[in-house]
Amino acid sequence: IMGSRWRESVHGALYGAGPEGSHEADRAVALLVGLDPTRAIALVRVLAPLARARLVDDPHRVIQMALGLQPDLIVSGSAVAGEVTALLASLGADPALEDIPVIVLATGDSDDTRREAMRGGALAWLPHTADPEALLARVRLAVRFRRLAQARAIPMLHPVRP
């Protein structure tokens, strides 16, 4: 029974069914990039109460998927040196994607990866040993950041006249 509940929660997080009582419109969309399968499954489980996760394992499809999905945040876990920098630069170069917050989940605790991520414009860098509550706190912050940015970018349909 426990195994089927776990599969249902992962399936729901991936394909849009939220936990009972959640409001679908309130749930964020998280694009997960460059994560190994075991880590991706664990992350989908952690994010399930807050976000519907979409996975992309091909670094060349990230921008295309981000343009189509307009996710509330991107979580990158790339182990390839320079891949995070390239992702952040590509997102920053596109006006439709530049305000999507990126959280980098390090595959190691190197100061170089932290520096690379933060200089590149990542909202947060978390070590691979970060606990789920720390990750969820960053995700809440990222979603709030993205939604505020979107609200400010949308012009009012009926301006208020004095």
Side-chain angles (χ1 to χ4, degrees):
I1 293 175
M2 189 61 120
S4 67
R5 284 187 189 156
W6 179 82
R7 277 192 299 279
E8 288 169 10
S9 70
V10 171
H11 185 272
L14 284 170
Y15 299 106
E20 287 184 34
S22 71
H23 300 286
E24 196 61 26
D26 294 337
R27 291 182 65 215
V29 174
L31 184 59
L32 310 181
V33 178
L35 297 165
D36 66 72
T38 303
R39 209 163 175 207
I41 290 169
L43 189 55
V44 167
R45 276 187 80 192
V46 169
L47 295 178
L50 296 177
R52 293 170 289 155
R54 300 295 185 263
L55 305 173
V56 59
D57 57 357
D58 180 0
H60 303 292
R61 291 199 45 218
V62 173
I63 299 302
Q64 177 186 5
M65 280 191 73
L67 284 167
L69 283 174
Q70 285 297 306
D72 291 294
L73 74 145
I74 294 174
V75 179
S76 175
S78 179
V80 179
E83 205 167 272
V84 171
T85 302
L87 171 65
L88 292 167
S90 295
L91 292 168
D94 191 321
L97 304 175
E98 67 185 354
D99 66 342
I100 297 175
V102 177
I103 297 172
V104 177
L105 295 177
T107 53
D109 293 333
S110 165
D111 282 338
D112 292 338
T113 61
R114 180 184 0 239
R115 224 179 345 267
E116 176 183 323
M118 300 316 287
R119 285 184 181 160
L123 177 69
W125 177 94
L126 292 171
H128 70 284
T129 56
D131 66 279
E133 289 304 316
L135 176 60
L136 287 175
R138 297 318 188 289
V139 168
R140 281 187 203 94
L141 176 66
V143 170
R144 188 174 301 134
F145 175 79
R146 172 72 168 158
R147 290 184 177 176
L148 284 172
Q150 288 175 321
R152 289 186 178 137
I154 299 172
M156 291 178 55
L157 295 176
H158 303 287
V160 177
R161 300 188 197 277

